[in-house]
């Protein structure tokens, strides 16, 4: 009984020390606040946006390219829609893309990485070989190819990005699982008669959670950029749905006179990606892992 209590105290102490390391890192805290701002803006977009209806197919040519003022804080676009409202709703689209891609890539890559790291022989060879082949394909080229074949939409953009994104998670989890599988306590669990599923889920997977968490957070930034790139090229989310990449593509036609059409969504992309990168760096320091 005393040993169990002592172990629980040790676990709590380790978690508290990790949290203290994160809290003591001002850059990580700033990143967390930036990410929280983006997430809250996306969730409460209908309440925060000055003109929620401007996220749809609204046309008001009287305010076409209206400059930033008391009514339109970040100006209006080429058909008179409030840029600030569309940027806020653009955060929602970006986070939906991030969630969709990671919902596919993390489980798929994690499962394959666990299997390759735990089993030897043809299972490891097959999975690692296929992963290396897929890693040789440039992600942007694959995404552009899929985007050209499929009808441009948010769902198809998720598919296009996720087709290769799982490979990075598979490779990362494989590296960690391979190392953990060689530990004495894993061998002891095998000798005690534990099933492969038990060893994978109870002995190896918990040791992969930290690196998966850090990788997922850093990936969110790259996925936002990736999605914006596809939309900028016309292969992502289609109008009138507000998307940050599409807004930049539309606004660049009217530079430099109507600069706010590019500056506002461009800064929003920068803000979101920087926040996730800073948060990911903070988590990496907190868990003391290499990704």
């Amino acid at each position: 009984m005393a040993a169990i209590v002592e172990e629980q105290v040790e676990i709590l102490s380790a978690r508290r020390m990790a949290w203290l390391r994160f809290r003591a890192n001002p850059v990580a805290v700033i990143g967390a606040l930036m990410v929280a701002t983006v997430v809250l803006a996306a969730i409460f977009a209908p309440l925060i946006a000055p003109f929620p209806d401007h996220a749809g197919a609204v046309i008001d040519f009287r305010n076409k390219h209206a400059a930033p003022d008391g009514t339109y804080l970040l100006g209006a676009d080429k058909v008179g829609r409030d840029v600030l409202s569309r940027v806020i709703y653009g955060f929602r689209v970006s986070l939906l893309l991030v969630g969709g891609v990671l919902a596919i890539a993390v489980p798929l890559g994690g499962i394959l990485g666990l299997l390759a790291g735990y089993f030897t022989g043809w299972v490891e060879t097959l999975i690692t070989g296929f992963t290396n082949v897929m890693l040789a394909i440039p992600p942007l080229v694959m995404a552009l190819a899929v985007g050209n074949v499929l009808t441009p939409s948010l769902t198809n953009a998720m598919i296009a990005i996720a087709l290769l994104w799982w490979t990075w998670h598979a490779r990362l989890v494989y590296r960690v699982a391979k190392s953990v599988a060689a530990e004495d306590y894993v061998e002891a669990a095998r000798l005690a008669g534990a099933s492969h599923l038990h060893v994978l889920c109870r002995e190896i997977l918990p040791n992969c959670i930290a690196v998966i968490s850090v990788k997922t957070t850093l990936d969110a930034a790259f996925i936002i950029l990736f999605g914006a790139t596809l939309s900028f090229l016309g292969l992502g989310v289609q109008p009138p749905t507000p998307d940050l990449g599409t807004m930049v593509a539309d606004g660049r036609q009217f530079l430099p006179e109507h600069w706010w059409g590019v500056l506002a969504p461009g800064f929003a992309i920068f803000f979101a990606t920087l926040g996730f990168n800073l948060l990911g760096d903070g988590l990496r320091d907190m868990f003391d892992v290499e990704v």
Side-chain angles (χ1 to χ4, degrees):
M1 182 67 179
I4 296 176
V5 173
E6 185 176 335
E7 183 180 354
Q8 291 177 340
V9 171
E10 183 179 348
I11 293 174
L12 291 175
S13 299
R15 289 175 179 173
R16 180 168 177 77
M17 290 300 297
W19 164 246
L20 291 176
R21 283 199 301 270
F22 181 85
R23 194 174 65 178
N25 187 342
V27 174
V29 173
I30 292 173
L33 292 175
M34 293 171 70
V35 170
T37 300
V38 172
V39 173
L40 291 175
I43 294 174
F44 299 106
L47 302 176
I48 299 174
F51 301 92
D53 57 319
H54 286 201
V58 172
I59 296 177
D60 182 10
F61 285 118
R62 291 174 301 176
N63 293 304
K64 176 182 178 181
H65 291 307
D69 56 19
T71 303
Y72 298 134
L73 298 180
L74 297 180
D77 64 9
K78 62 182 181 181
V79 295
R81 295 173 300 196
D82 179 43
V83 172
L84 175 58
S85 297
R86 292 183 65 80
V87 164
I88 292 173
Y89 274 90
F91 281 142
R92 175 177 286 189
V93 173
S94 295
L95 291 182
L96 285 174
L97 179 65
V98 169
V101 171
L102 293 178
I104 299 171
V106 175
L108 178 59
I111 291 172
L112 292 176
L114 280 174
L115 294 177
Y118 177 68
F119 294 104
T120 57
W122 67 269
V123 175
E124 179 182 11
T125 302
L126 180 63
I127 294 176
T128 56
F130 180 66
T131 302
N132 289 333
V133 170
M134 298 300 290
L135 280 169
I137 304 174
L140 183 57
V141 173
M142 172 64 84
L144 291 175
V146 174
N148 275 298
V149 172
L150 302 177
T151 302
S153 67
L154 177 61
T155 301
N156 290 338
M158 291 178 186
I159 296 173
I161 298 174
L163 276 176
L164 286 179
W165 216 269
W166 64 268
T167 57
W168 303 102
H169 288 270
R171 192 171 188 176
L172 178 64
V173 174
Y174 165 72
R175 174 170 57 84
V176 178
K178 188 73 173 176
S179 175
V180 174
E183 295 291 338
D184 292 338
Y185 65 87
V186 175
E187 183 62 27
R190 289 197 196 110
L191 294 176
S195 65
H196 293 315
L197 183 62
H198 174 90
V199 174
L200 285 169
C201 296
R202 299 296 297 275
E203 307 295 341
I204 299 179
L205 180 59
N207 291 280
C208 301
I209 296 300
V211 292
I212 291 175
S213 300
V214 175
K215 176 64 175 170
T216 299
T217 306
L218 293 173
D219 278 352
F222 289 105
I223 293 170
I224 290 173
L225 282 175
F226 235 81
T229 301
L230 289 178
S231 296
F232 182 86
L233 297 174
L235 300 175
V237 180
Q238 298 299 295
T241 302
D243 179 84
L244 300 177
T246 303
M247 293 176 67
V248 173
D250 290 341
R252 71 189 176 105
Q253 306 172 41
F254 307 101
L255 289 174
E257 184 177 2
H258 306 298
W259 47 269
W260 52 88
V262 170
L263 182 62
F267 179 78
I269 294 171
F270 167 78
F271 184 86
T273 54
L274 179 62
F276 277 107
N277 273 315
L278 294 180
L279 177 59
D281 288 341
L283 292 177
R284 181 170 54 194
D285 293 340
M286 183 179 78
F287 292 124
D288 192 23
V289 296
E290 291 293 332
V291 177

